[in-house]
Amino acid sequence: MTANPGCGRRTLLDACGADKDAIATQAGFAWPFGQSPFAIGRGKSFEASITEHGGAKLLTLLRDLLDLPLPEVAYKPVDEVGGNTQRELRHQHTCKLLLEAARGGDWPGTLFDHPMLRLTVGGVHVYLEPDVIAFKVKDLFYVVEIKSFPVIDRQADPDQVAAAIRQASVYVIALREMLSAHGLDPAMVASSVILVTPKGFSNTPVATLTDARKQIAMLVRQLRRADNVSDLLNEVPDDTTFDLRHNDLGVATRAATDLVNHLLRIEARYRPACTQHCEMAALCRDEAVRADSLDLYGTGVSDVFNGVDSASTARALAAGTRLPSPDQQDVARTLRRAQRLLDELGGVA
Ligand code: SF4
C-alpha cells in the first residue's frame, strides 16, 4: 500500500485484509508476483548470516560505518513475544522496547531484530517489519535494510537500490510516527538509512549509509494524499464484496466475471511499478490497456499530459479532431505544435 498510496483499490483491499493473491487468481489475473524461490532462499540465508550470533557481523559493519563505541551493545530479537508471533502483540512489545531505548539517555546502543512497526495509511493501520533498527549513542535510531542483490565495484542495480531505500524510508516514517505519538522527538530517527548487501557474488556483507531525505519527504507527501478508507467506501456500491465464496471443500466458487466487476468498481491508479509490488497488477494493467490509459507509460508521461487520460485523446487533440476541454487547452496547444513539427519532419524526409 505504501508503494502506491494513491490507489483506492489497493487501499481497500489492504484495509479489509483481503488475500490479493487468491483474489487475482480467482479473477483470472494471477500475477507471478515476487522473487523466485531461489532468490528468496538466497535472501533469507544472507540475512540470517548477518543477524546470527546476536548480530555479530552486523555490529562489526556498524562499528565501522557509524563509529560505534560498542563493546557492550545489546541485541534484541523482536520476531516473537514468548513464542507468539501475533502482529499487534509484537507491535506493542516493539513500542515498549523502542520507547525505553529512546528515553534511555546515554544508552550504549541496541540492535532490534525484526521489530513490528505500524503506519497509518488512508486512515488504517498497516504493519511493517524492518530487518533491523540500530540505536546509536548519539540519540539516533538508524533503520538497517538487508538485501541480497550484489554490489559489484560499488555499483548495484539502481532499481533495486531505489526500491530498498524507499522501503527503508517507509520504516523511518513509521518509526517517527511512533515516537511522535508518544511525545518524543521524531528527529531521533536518522534520515539516512543503512543498506547491507553482499559484496559481488560472495556472502561477504558491505554496509552503505544512504541519504534518504528526498524519498522520505516524497513518501510523506504521498501518504498525506492517500484517500481515507471511509471516503473510498462512500464511493463504492454497498453490495461490493471480495468474497470468493468457498464451498464446503474450501474451493472458491465465485465467477471470475462477477469478481472482476466488483473490483473494477473501485478506482485504481495503475503505474508500471505496480508489477513489482502488487498482486493485482495483471488486472489493473489489463484495465489500463483497455482504457488506452497514459498511466501505462508511468508518472513522468501522465504528469506531462496533465488533464488528458488516454493516448487516443492525446492523438485526437494533436490532430485537432477533438476540441480540448478548458483544462486541456495548454496540453492541446503543445500537442498540436508537436504534431506540426512531426508532419514537417515527415515532409522533409
Ligand atoms: S496493481 Fe492495481 S491495485 Fe495494485 S497498486 Fe497498482 S493499481 Fe493499485
Side-chain angles (χ1 to χ4, degrees):
M1 196 198 280
T2 48
N4 190 358
C7 177
R9 188 173 298 160
R10 172 81 193 238
T11 301
L12 278 191
L13 283 163
D14 282 347
C16 67
D19 181 342
K20 295 190 292 299
D21 189 27
I23 289 173
T25 303
Q26 183 69 13
F29 288 93
W31 181 248
F33 168 69
Q35 296 176 302
S36 70
F38 172 75
I40 291 171
R42 176 174 155 75
K44 281 190 174 161
S45 81
F46 179 67
E47 186 185 327
S49 74
I50 305 297
T51 53
E52 67 188 355
H53 308 307
K57 269 192 195 169
L58 184 57
L59 273 176
T60 308
L61 291 168
L62 295 182
R63 253 190 214 114
D64 293 343
L65 194 72
L66 301 177
D67 208 15
L68 293 176
L70 293 181
E72 71 278 53
V73 74
Y75 168 82
K76 288 188 191 295
V78 202
D79 50 353
E80 58 170 35
V81 186
N84 192 330
T85 56
Q86 202 258 339
R87 289 186 305 182
E88 181 55 28
L89 188 66
R90 282 180 57 203
H91 170 65
Q92 286 174 14
H93 185 54
T94 299
C95 270
K96 182 172 166 287
L97 294 177
L98 289 175
L99 292 171
E100 268 172 25
R103 292 180 177 126
D106 194 17
W107 193 272
T110 304
L111 291 178
F112 297 93
D113 190 354
H114 285 101
M116 182 64 76
L117 301 178
R118 215 171 59 180
L119 183 67
T120 311
V121 185
V124 294
H125 290 141
V126 183
Y127 290 96
L128 305 163
E129 190 171 0
D131 290 330
V132 178
I133 289 173
F135 184 55
K136 199 193 166 209
V137 172
K138 292 171 197 160
D139 289 338
L140 269 185
F141 287 99
Y142 284 91
V143 170
V144 181
E145 190 57 28
I146 302 171
K147 291 291 177 198
S148 59
F149 55 78
V151 176
I152 301 165
D153 291 336
R154 296 175 183 244
Q155 301 285 323
D157 179 342
D159 288 346
Q160 289 186 311
V161 173
I165 296 173
R166 196 168 54 240
Q167 191 178 345
S169 301
V170 174
Y171 302 146
V172 170
I173 296 167
L175 195 45
R176 287 180 173 174
E177 189 177 296
M178 189 195 83
L179 293 179
S180 294
H182 291 86
L184 291 169
D185 184 1
M188 288 176 80
V189 187
S191 303
S192 295
V193 298
I194 298 167
L195 295 187
V196 178
T197 48
K199 194 173 183 182
F201 295 103
S202 71
N203 250 9
T204 308
V206 279
T208 319
L209 190 63
T210 306
D211 184 350
R213 274 177 299 181
K214 265 192 203 157
Q215 290 87 343
I216 293 167
M218 187 189 71
L219 280 163
V220 166
R221 277 199 303 277
Q222 287 181 345
L223 288 167
R224 277 200 196 117
R225 286 205 304 260
D227 294 317
N228 196 286
V229 170
S230 50
D231 293 342
L232 287 169
L233 283 173
N234 286 337
E235 288 170 18
V236 294
D238 287 347
D239 64 344
T240 303
T241 174
F242 309 130
D243 185 3
L244 299 183
R245 299 191 190 125
H246 291 97
N247 62 18
D248 293 344
L249 298 172
V251 178
T253 59
R254 187 167 181 190
T257 45
D258 185 51
L259 182 57
V260 169
N261 286 340
H262 281 227
L263 286 165
L264 294 183
R265 290 173 174 181
I266 310 152
E267 204 171 325
R269 188 200 260 184
Y270 180 78
R271 300 281 178 267
C274 288
T275 57
Q276 306 295 317
H277 61 71
C278 185
E279 295 87 342
M280 306 305 297
L283 173 85
C284 300
R285 189 175 60 182
D286 181 73
E287 181 188 28
V289 168
R290 285 170 194 271
D292 199 16
S293 170
L294 290 172
D295 289 340
L296 287 164
Y297 308 103
T299 40
V301 172
S302 45
D303 286 353
V304 168
F305 285 86
N306 193 15
V308 178
D309 288 336
S310 71
S312 51
T313 301
R315 281 192 293 271
L317 289 172
T321 56
R322 179 186 175 120
L323 282 178
S325 62
D327 62 334
Q328 294 171 339
Q329 297 282 353
D330 287 346
V331 177
R333 255 194 305 278
T334 308
L335 283 167
R336 281 199 296 274
R337 204 175 312 132
Q339 184 67 56
R340 272 199 302 278
L341 282 170
L342 266 178
D343 291 344
E344 283 167 23
L345 285 171
V348 169

